[in-house]
Amino acid sequence: MSVVRATPPVRHDLGNTRRARRSGAAQTASDVRFADADEIRRWDELILRSPDEGNVYRGSDNIAGMVVGGGTPVYLIVGGFAVIAFQVRVPVSGPLWVLIGPPVADVHDLIAAAREVAAFGARHGITAVRLRTQLRANANDEMALRAAGLRRTPTWLDDSTVLVDLRGSEHDVQARFKKRARKSIRRAAREFVVVDRVPATDDNCRVLYEMLDATSGGRFHIPSLATTTAVFQRYEQSGRGQLFLARHCGEVVVGAFVTTFGKTALYFGAGSVRKRPGDPTECGLGGSRAAYALQWEIMRWAREQGCEWYDLDGTPSSATITDESHQRHGVGQFKTAFSEEITDYLGAYQIDIRPGRAWTTRQLEICAGRVDESPLLNRLRRRPVRPNPDYVWLHPRRRSR
């Protein structure tokens, strides 16, 4: 078993300061600085001290995974709190910072933090800064961000999710499910579905990866097998990850990898067998209800780890959850069987440092999105249409299996 052990590099030489000065951008940012070596060593501890208690995506294990996939981390201290950013180089228009955070109390703090990070980034030749906090969606806040000059941009994390309350006894947890979830868990037991907690060996990671790849069918980005395996093994080594495989009639039919950070577990990656080979649109679980049994075993494990919440990571928004034409309608119906409440986040916003170059970046994204959504162009490219394109610059174009 190969495990990612390397510490992500500290990236502090991030641009052409002289060029930034010529642009006339602000030169000081009193409340933003690079993290020092000791702070990076204690990164998870600092993230957990954040007012919002952080999340998996801001933790050291995920940072290491992004590095394996080609990402360049930037460790920042913003307003006294640890904030991870990734520097990405966009063709023609230049580098931008993508922040997972910062942890702020409200939209006014977010605007102030964005301006200070932008001023700091300007000193290092950055074109624009993107921020994605854990603030909940609010129409007034969206208006405030636009009025302050921030623009909505494609997100790199789901903007809506389902959070399952794991507090209380197992009976208490199941009592909060919809009736169909409880019935499906019992049905899976009668169908002799067995869910195993298995080690993240190369072979087990391959089993899950092949189901994930089949589920994707090229419709959304997934890392390579080597990267996926390394990331899963890193989480397992740190004690914050578990691989699950569910079997029906002796055959593996669905699996998942789950991670934890603080009091929350995250549904990090999953896949299932397909009804027909090569067709990613229909799962082949039939009436076994194996997916429900898998989720219940995940929740039992998460409770054992001391988690109080389970993030199912991605669903249609509260405004579109009942729309049967939505491309993820089935996913939303499945996940809301465990909790009816959908959590909508404010989403990703950008503050421009070099407006002309930032505009170019956005136009490149729009063009890439139209290509990904075009049936004709994708027939010529011999790849599936990506109805929800994930062309975000965080994903390197190179991909190996």
Side-chain angles (χ1 to χ4, degrees):
M1 179 188 302
S2 60
V3 177
V4 181
R5 299 182 187 277
T7 301
V10 181
R11 184 70 167 159
H12 285 178
D13 53 335
L14 291 166
N16 189 324
T17 302
R18 183 180 301 171
R19 182 178 62 197
R21 285 174 180 163
R22 287 202 305 267
S23 72
Q27 294 302 303
T28 61
S30 60
D31 218 17
V32 182
R33 61 177 175 82
F34 291 118
D36 61 35
D38 179 63
E39 288 166 330
I40 294 172
R41 181 182 60 80
R42 298 185 294 113
W43 194 253
D44 288 345
E45 173 190 335
L46 298 181
I47 293 292
L48 286 168
R49 289 181 185 174
S50 301
D52 57 10
E53 298 182 347
N55 59 34
V56 165
Y57 295 111
R58 288 151 62 185
S60 59
D61 289 326
N62 185 64
I63 297 169
M66 294 292 291
V67 170
V68 171
T72 302
V74 183
Y75 298 86
L76 299 173
I77 303 297
V78 180
F81 297 110
V83 176
I84 189 62
F86 291 92
Q87 177 165 311
V88 291
R89 295 195 173 276
V90 180
V92 181
S93 58
L96 60 86
W97 281 350
V98 175
L99 274 66
I100 306 177
V104 291
D106 56 38
V107 71
H108 304 293
D109 288 346
L110 178 59
I111 292 168
R115 287 172 172 163
E116 292 200 334
V117 174
F120 186 74
R123 297 167 57 193
H124 298 278
I126 302 302
T127 294
V129 172
R130 293 185 174 180
L131 312 95
R132 203 296 198 164
T133 74
Q134 289 175 238
L135 291 178
R136 302 302 193 260
N138 179 288
N140 291 332
D141 287 353
E142 293 169 7
M143 291 175 60
L145 287 165
R146 289 195 296 271
L150 279 78
R151 296 183 297 106
R152 190 76 163 85
T153 62
T155 189
W156 53 96
L157 300 175
D158 279 295
D159 285 341
S160 298
T161 191
V162 171
L163 297 174
V164 182
D165 188 347
L166 301 179
R167 294 172 296 183
S169 66
E170 287 192 358
H171 175 78
D172 293 333
V173 175
Q174 283 206 8
R176 292 188 284 265
F177 295 171
K178 288 183 179 178
K179 185 177 180 179
R180 75 168 183 272
R182 295 192 296 270
K183 289 179 65 175
S184 294
I185 292 168
R186 294 194 294 269
R187 168 73 176 272
R190 293 196 299 272
E191 291 283 337
F192 303 106
V193 171
V194 177
V195 182
D196 295 317
R197 306 174 186 181
V198 300
T201 62
D202 290 350
D203 287 344
N204 285 336
C205 288
R206 180 181 290 276
V207 169
L208 177 55
Y209 182 86
E210 289 177 350
M211 290 191 292
L212 176 58
D213 195 34
T215 301
S216 161
R219 297 175 300 162
F220 52 85
H221 171 89
I222 59 173
S224 68
L225 171 60
T227 298
T228 300
T229 299
V231 171
F232 288 174
Q233 291 174 353
R234 162 89 186 207
Y235 274 107
E236 181 182 70
Q237 183 196 36
S238 71
R240 292 192 288 260
Q242 179 63 55
L243 180 59
F244 297 82
L245 295 176
R247 292 175 170 81
H248 182 228
C249 298
E251 298 293 327
V252 176
V253 294
V254 62
F257 194 85
V258 180
T259 64
T260 66
F261 193 83
K263 296 179 180 179
T264 301
L266 175 70
Y267 192 39
F268 196 61
S272 62
V273 295
R274 301 290 91 189
K275 189 172 183 179
R276 290 177 293 274
D279 181 0
T281 60
E282 291 188 66
C283 74
L285 297 179
S288 69
R289 302 297 190 270
Y292 289 90
L294 173 71
Q295 291 299 334
W296 178 236
E297 183 61 20
I298 288 170
M299 292 180 211
R300 294 182 66 244
W301 173 82
R303 283 165 50 82
E304 292 170 15
Q305 310 311 304
C307 294
E308 296 181 356
W309 298 94
Y310 175 39
D311 186 343
L312 281 164
D313 198 38
T315 185
S317 68
S318 55
T320 61
I321 190 64
T322 60
D323 180 0
E324 294 184 5
S325 67
H326 194 285
Q327 60 187 352
R328 301 178 76 184
H329 177 72
V331 171
Q333 295 305 298
F334 171 70
K335 293 182 178 181
T336 53
F338 301 101
S339 174
E340 287 192 273
E341 182 178 355
I342 293 177
T343 298
D344 296 315
Y345 293 109
L346 193 56
Y349 282 81
Q350 176 171 304
I351 183 167
D352 296 343
I353 298 172
R354 307 184 74 187
R357 290 179 176 268
W359 179 88
T360 300
T361 297
R362 182 68 186 114
Q363 301 314 303
L364 289 170
E365 288 179 319
I366 290 171
C367 289
R370 288 175 178 169
V371 169
D372 279 349
E373 293 174 324
S374 169
L376 174 60
L377 290 176
N378 282 292
R379 278 199 299 272
L380 295 175
R381 298 165 77 192
R382 296 183 179 180
R383 47 156 281 185
V385 172
R386 289 184 174 178
N388 184 22
D390 52 359
Y391 48 80
V392 179
W393 306 111
L394 275 172
H395 299 313
R397 285 299 177 189
R398 62 185 182 276
R399 183 182 179 206
S400 60
R401 286 182 180 274

